[in-house]
Amino acid sequence: MADVMAGTTAGTASEPTAPVVAARSLTKAFGGVLALDAASTAFSAGEVHCLAGENGCGKSTLIKILSGVHPPTSGTIEVGGSSYGHLAPRQALDLGIEVIYQDFSLLPNLTAAENIALPSFLTHRRRFVARAAVDAIAEQAVARLGVDLDLRTPVGDLTVADRQLCAIARALAHDTRFLAMDEPTTTLTWREVDALFDAVRRLRDDGVAIAFISHKLQEVFSIADRVSIMRNGRIVATGRPEEYTHSSLTESMTGRATSALARETPTWRDKPPALEVRGLERLPLFTGVDLAVGQGEIVGLAGLLGSGRTEIAEALAGVLPATSGTVLVRGRPTRIRTVTDAVEAGIGYVPEDRLTQGLFLDQPIGDNVLATGIGSFARFSVTRPQRMARAAAGIVHSLRIKAASLQDSIRTLSGGNAQRVLIGKWLIGRPKVLILNGPTVGVDVGSKFDILSLLHAESLKGLGVLIISDDLPELVSTCDRVLVVRNGRVVSEVDRRDLTEKALLEAVAA
Amino acid sequence: MKAAGASRWRRVAGDQELLLLVLLGLLLVAVAARAPEVLTVDTLFNVARESMVTLVFAVAVLIVIISGGIDVSFLAVGIFAAYSAVSLVPQEGPAATAWLPFAVAVAIGVALGLVNAAVVLGAGVSTLIATLATSAVFLGVLFAFVGGTVVNSIPEPLRVLGSTSLLELPAAGRGTTRLSVLVLPVLVVCAATAAFLRWTVAGRSIFAMGGDREAARRAGVAIGPTVVLVFALSGALAGLAGMTHVALSGRADPTTFFGGELNVLAAVVLGGALISGGRGSVRGTVLGVLLITCIRSSLIPLGIPPVWQEAVIGSLLILGVVLQALASRVKPVRAILDPADPVLAPAPLRRDVVEAGDAR
């Protein structure tokens, strides 16, 4: 564990400086669960320090302790040479500690300018707000970031990408010395990620200490000056990114070796496609959408945020139905006006964010598996426990979920097994087509692999899968074909043979 | 076409103040048509007098609603403060000491507001439950320790103030009709609250807390002190409102406001305050109060039996909430298709409409 302190002692090219913020054996227990186990690390000025690790490894907890959201169970926080047992949020802000949370933590009812300026008004103990002062602070922060942002609009009406920019601008609005970004790229498209990275590098060169949390290895490699890997609440290794390769980083994070997902095209060409769509339209969102997903085929739907890809998926799921067009499921024409229509037709839809948030962590595995399909095990609204137990056991068995008992809570499962439960929950209705919107957003490498291999296994049984994703390597490694959406139309198709990250990037960003 | 209609709806629903003005106008037209004899300066002053107390209560509730809570104890606080103040201050004195009972009532209001804040923060219960409980406790204490009988002789300075007119005009029939001088402090309080909410960091913190409590906390808003401030202000305003009522009516009756919560809450919600917090304005609240008072005083001239009064106000409350739901549900549709996309060209679109019309 000696190398944990490398932040202050390693012989890097830059001058070794005293850390801006340091964690000294921080421990945090939530109930009986140890989220952080004597973690020590340091963040130095002018350095982007990436924290990498699987879901629940303690990265977010560490950041929340540094920013005063949670008090640590034991250990100390060091800021600018002084030691603190814990910090209050306002105190952390006063010390120049800023965090951009995954959910941005913006105030939807206030304008972007007010969101950016309010914290500095509070930390400077000012009593009155003048619009001119608010605008000046906001404009200065936006200029520092080098972006264009509509400051007069309530944040609730901004696009997700603009909210992200607003959150960063807010963090820069006053004398920020330490900036932590908790998975800042989750909701961004590649182009926006590039702009974000430019901003991050500018801040680093300004002498800000930056903690950057990400699941995406490419990002870690392209932005980090230093990488710390966390596992089970501990910091297990710290080093420079050059010392790692993709696979060695993955191995340190998961503690096991992973292999690439090799996939043969299993499409059952002699059968009607699982899903066929012709001329789907809803003005002014999308028009003329033709697509087909064969039985046993995994098709990707790529496109920039706001290209219409989510709207098309939601139309097929009945969330925001199309106004015209034909939809056939295994050759049978269906009209989809509501979510119920879609479910009855055999179209399953896993919306964004549902995978990561869809489990009742303290409830038994069996109940979790059955949560979405509970209606089909009831007669006259009275559940039939024996049938349910049999069904749950069947799913757990077929998905190869390793659990001692169906009565154990989800918390006792490893991350990968928990993800299997999650997928099992969506598969229980036996959909003919499964549409997944960002299935691995915010999911760590190990679990991501589990999800994708599970989809692969299900597709071999004839399920048609449509994946909407921003993660290019994921689309390349998982899909048989990728359709590209731009301005509300399907504009091109990248076939298995030509499917590389480069080809996809060109098709999407063109 | 649909999108345009939806966005128009959103504008109307979003701009509730405009809608209130339209409703007020319609009401005026209806009264002018059915009972023109009512449209006199007497009625105008009546509406003003009846609105004053409701308005101060409504501003008290507005602050709590903006902060993301709800207060149902304001009437209990108001009458507790006013009744106790009347019993505490000396009965006689020069007219210039009329501020004293007001100051005492406001102080008692603040104290009761602090009790509310203590319950909300200490027990961690919802503001609705907390204030429902405290309101029953306040009334119980009032009847048990202060008294439950109607006080018909209020302190002399207060009586003098209550009967001082700002404006006295010849009435429609005989004699004169008057507008109480107490309308001035009410207006000042409204303006001051509006300025507080708009131009102070504390005011913006209240909005922030109502918009997203956790995000506000992370932005550095101290939640506890802000909750205390909200309930202290609300209590102070409720005390002021109670005393204004006592001064205007010339008597202190502990049962005077029973069942009046509906009017006030309906006015605030109609005025555009979002029941889930984070949005609301004093201007909208003023319009909401005016609308409700006007409706109450024009039902009889319009020939609607007074038994329907409460039902009408209740319906208005539902209308206000429905408007809010509509405004939040009808998100603006952001076009994704390229504006130059041929499907969006006007010509074929128009043909579609004609065809659809023909088919019918």
Side-chain angles (χ1 to χ4, degrees), chain A residues 224-432:
Chain A
D225 300 311
R226 180 177 304 282
V227 184
S228 286
I229 293 155
M230 297 188 69
R231 198 162 72 218
N232 300 328
R234 295 169 171 274
I235 293 181
V236 293
T238 292
R240 297 170 61 77
E242 303 89 272
E243 296 161 19
Y244 293 94
T245 63
H246 271 249
S247 53
S248 69
L249 198 58
T250 306
E251 251 183 81
S252 316
M253 282 163 66
T254 58
R256 64 194 141 110
T258 52
S259 55
L261 201 65
R263 179 176 166 79
E264 307 260 314
T265 309
T267 312
W268 304 353
R269 298 217 177 272
D270 48 330
K271 298 202 172 173
L275 175 72
E276 192 174 356
V277 176
R278 286 189 224 119
L280 203 67
E281 176 175 275
R282 183 184 172 105
L283 298 176
L285 300 177
F286 54 84
T287 186
V289 173
D290 297 337
L291 63 87
V293 181
Q295 294 189 36
E297 195 179 24
I298 300 183
V299 177
L301 201 58
L304 298 172
L305 207 67
S307 62
R309 43 172 213 195
T310 296
E311 286 74 10
I312 293 169
E314 287 186 344
L316 293 173
V319 178
L320 196 73
T323 47
S324 67
T326 320
V327 177
L328 296 100
V329 176
R330 289 204 179 165
R332 270 186 40 203
T334 44
R335 286 201 82 144
I336 297 166
R337 291 206 205 88
T338 63
V339 175
T340 317
D341 287 347
V343 171
E344 279 172 4
I347 300 177
Y349 178 58
V350 185
E352 272 178 290
D353 299 341
R354 283 300 152 79
L355 270 181
T356 46
Q357 292 161 14
L359 287 173
F360 304 102
L361 291 177
D362 294 313
Q363 297 292 319
I365 296 163
D367 290 1
N368 266 286
V369 171
L370 297 175
T372 24
I374 194 155
S376 55
F377 297 99
R379 181 187 282 162
F380 309 124
S381 295
V382 178
T383 57
R384 289 180 285 179
Q386 282 183 345
R387 240 172 206 258
M388 286 170 59
R390 259 205 313 278
I395 292 160
V396 168
H397 178 72
S398 71
L399 295 183
R400 287 173 293 143
I401 295 166
K402 292 194 196 89
S405 151
L406 285 177
Q407 300 307 315
D408 287 352
S409 78
I410 295 288
R411 261 189 223 287
T412 63
L413 292 182
S414 71
N417 279 312
Q419 298 288 358
R420 282 166 190 269
V421 172
L422 210 32
I423 298 262
K425 205 175 97 172
W426 292 104
L427 289 175
I428 198 161
R430 304 210 172 283
K432 299 183 176 74

Side-chain angles (χ1 to χ4, degrees), chain B residues 5-25:
Chain B
S7 74
R8 198 176 309 132
W9 252 111
R10 183 182 154 81
R11 266 207 306 282
V12 173
D15 195 345
Q16 246 166 283
E17 295 177 12
L18 185 72
L19 194 74
L20 288 186
L21 281 176
V22 171
L23 283 177
L24 271 169

Side-chain angles (χ1 to χ4, degrees), chain B residues 117-146:
Chain B
V119 173
V120 167
L121 290 172
V125 291
S126 82
T127 50
L128 174 65
I129 300 301
T131 55
L132 200 57
T134 55
S135 120
V137 173
F138 294 158
L139 286 179
V141 171
L142 177 66
F143 283 102
F145 296 109
V146 190

Side-chain angles (χ1 to χ4, degrees), chain B residues 10-357:
Chain B
R10 183 182 154 81
R11 266 207 306 282
V12 173
D15 195 345
Q16 246 166 283
E17 295 177 12
L18 185 72
L19 194 74
L20 288 186
L21 281 176
V22 171
L23 283 177
L24 271 169
L26 287 178
L27 190 66
L28 207 64
V29 170
V31 172
R34 288 283 304 268
E37 71 281 359
V38 187
L39 293 182
T40 60
V41 72
D42 304 38
T43 315
L44 183 68
F45 283 4
N46 269 337
V47 167
R49 185 166 51 243
E50 302 211 345
S51 297
M52 279 158 58
V53 176
T54 313
L55 184 54
V56 181
F57 275 127
V59 171
V61 174
L62 174 71
I63 295 175
V64 182
I65 287 187
I66 289 177
S67 80
I70 191 151
D71 185 352
V72 291
S73 72
F74 56 95
L75 294 178
V77 171
I79 198 58
F80 189 111
Y83 193 91
S84 320
V86 166
S87 338
L88 285 173
V89 299
Q91 287 297 307
E92 300 298 328
T97 60
W99 61 269
L100 184 64
F102 278 91
V104 173
V106 167
I108 295 174
V110 169
L112 298 184
L114 292 178
V115 172
N116 276 336
V119 173
V120 167
L121 290 172
V125 291
S126 82
T127 50
L128 174 65
I129 300 301
T131 55
L132 200 57
T134 55
S135 120
V137 173
F138 294 158
L139 286 179
V141 171
L142 177 66
F143 283 102
F145 296 109
V146 190
T149 53
V150 179
V151 176
N152 275 316
S153 62
I154 60 171
E156 186 58 17
L158 205 56
R159 196 194 57 75
V160 172
L161 180 70
S163 51
T164 305
S165 304
L166 177 69
L167 226 90
E168 220 160 309
L169 294 175
R174 299 180 295 122
T176 57
T177 182
R178 46 180 225 88
L179 182 64
S180 168
V181 72
L182 283 169
V183 77
L184 289 180
V186 169
L187 291 178
V188 168
V189 161
C190 288
T193 307
F196 164 76
L197 288 173
R198 183 73 200 88
W199 286 310
T200 67
V201 172
R204 299 320 282 169
S205 298
I206 293 174
F207 271 93
M209 191 167 87
D212 184 333
R213 201 181 169 104
E214 182 57 26
R217 193 168 84 88
R218 290 176 182 179
V221 172
I223 297 296
T226 309
V227 169
V228 170
L229 176 69
V230 163
F231 280 100
L233 276 177
S234 166
L237 288 168
L240 177 68
M243 188 49 82
T244 307
H245 174 81
V246 166
L248 282 175
S249 62
R251 59 209 290 266
D253 176 356
T255 62
T256 184
F257 295 124
F258 278 12
E261 286 90 352
L262 178 64
N263 284 324
V264 176
L265 287 174
V268 176
V269 171
L270 267 179
L274 199 60
I275 203 80
S276 52
R279 203 185 77 197
S281 71
V282 173
R283 196 174 53 189
T285 304
V286 171
L287 287 174
V289 169
L290 283 180
L291 179 66
I292 282 187
T293 317
C294 285
I295 286 176
R296 286 165 63 98
S297 50
S298 55
L299 286 182
I300 294 170
L302 285 176
I304 299 166
V307 287
W308 284 103
Q309 205 173 62
E310 293 301 306
V312 168
I313 307 294
S315 309
L316 280 175
L317 179 58
I318 293 174
L319 173 75
V321 177
V322 166
L323 282 176
Q324 290 180 359
L326 274 180
S328 66
R329 198 169 343 154
V330 188
K331 288 279 180 221
V333 180
R334 299 206 322 157
I336 288 173
L337 290 168
D338 194 332
D341 200 299
V343 263
L344 292 182
L349 204 67
R350 214 175 292 136
R351 199 167 60 238
D352 287 353
V353 172
V354 172
E355 276 167 13

Side-chain angles (χ1 to χ4, degrees), chain A residues 88-301:
Chain A
R90 177 107 150 228
Q91 193 184 4
L93 286 172
D94 287 346
L95 291 167
I97 296 176
E98 280 284 347
V99 178
I100 297 168
Y101 296 94
Q102 229 170 330
D103 61 1
F104 306 151
S105 285
L106 292 170
L107 299 156
N109 55 329
L110 303 186
T111 63
E114 277 201 290
N115 264 286
I116 293 170
L118 188 62
S120 29
F121 276 92
L122 287 164
T123 51
H124 290 131
R125 306 272 187 296
R126 289 172 68 159
R127 298 204 179 281
F128 298 98
V129 284
R131 182 141 162 195
V134 169
D135 287 351
I137 291 175
E139 274 159 21
Q140 201 187 346
V142 171
R144 187 173 176 195
L145 194 59
V147 294
D148 193 29
L149 183 66
D150 185 357
L151 294 171
R152 291 280 156 80
T153 310
V155 162
D157 293 343
L158 290 177
T159 61
V160 176
D162 280 349
R163 280 181 220 181
Q164 168 91 63
L165 291 177
C166 184
I168 301 173
R170 180 176 69 174
L172 302 182
H174 55 286
D175 193 17
T176 304
R177 300 171 60 216
F178 171 70
L179 176 63
M181 309 170 97
D182 193 353
E183 294 194 40
T185 61
T186 310
T187 51
L188 298 186
T189 56
W190 311 293
R191 209 182 289 175
E192 290 156 352
V193 169
D194 280 345
L196 173 69
F197 280 8
D198 285 343
V200 169
R201 290 193 191 99
R202 258 201 303 277
L203 291 178
R204 176 193 62 191
D205 297 342
D206 274 3
V208 178
I210 294 168
F212 192 97
I213 295 182
S214 180
H215 282 316
K216 298 183 188 167
L217 297 184
Q218 288 159 289
E219 290 180 3
V220 172
F221 281 108
S222 64
I223 194 81
D225 300 311
R226 180 177 304 282
V227 184
S228 286
I229 293 155
M230 297 188 69
R231 198 162 72 218
N232 300 328
R234 295 169 171 274
I235 293 181
V236 293
T238 292
R240 297 170 61 77
E242 303 89 272
E243 296 161 19
Y244 293 94
T245 63
H246 271 249
S247 53
S248 69
L249 198 58
T250 306
E251 251 183 81
S252 316
M253 282 163 66
T254 58
R256 64 194 141 110
T258 52
S259 55
L261 201 65
R263 179 176 166 79
E264 307 260 314
T265 309
T267 312
W268 304 353
R269 298 217 177 272
D270 48 330
K271 298 202 172 173
L275 175 72
E276 192 174 356
V277 176
R278 286 189 224 119
L280 203 67
E281 176 175 275
R282 183 184 172 105
L283 298 176
L285 300 177
F286 54 84
T287 186
V289 173
D290 297 337
L291 63 87
V293 181
Q295 294 189 36
E297 195 179 24
I298 300 183
V299 177
L301 201 58

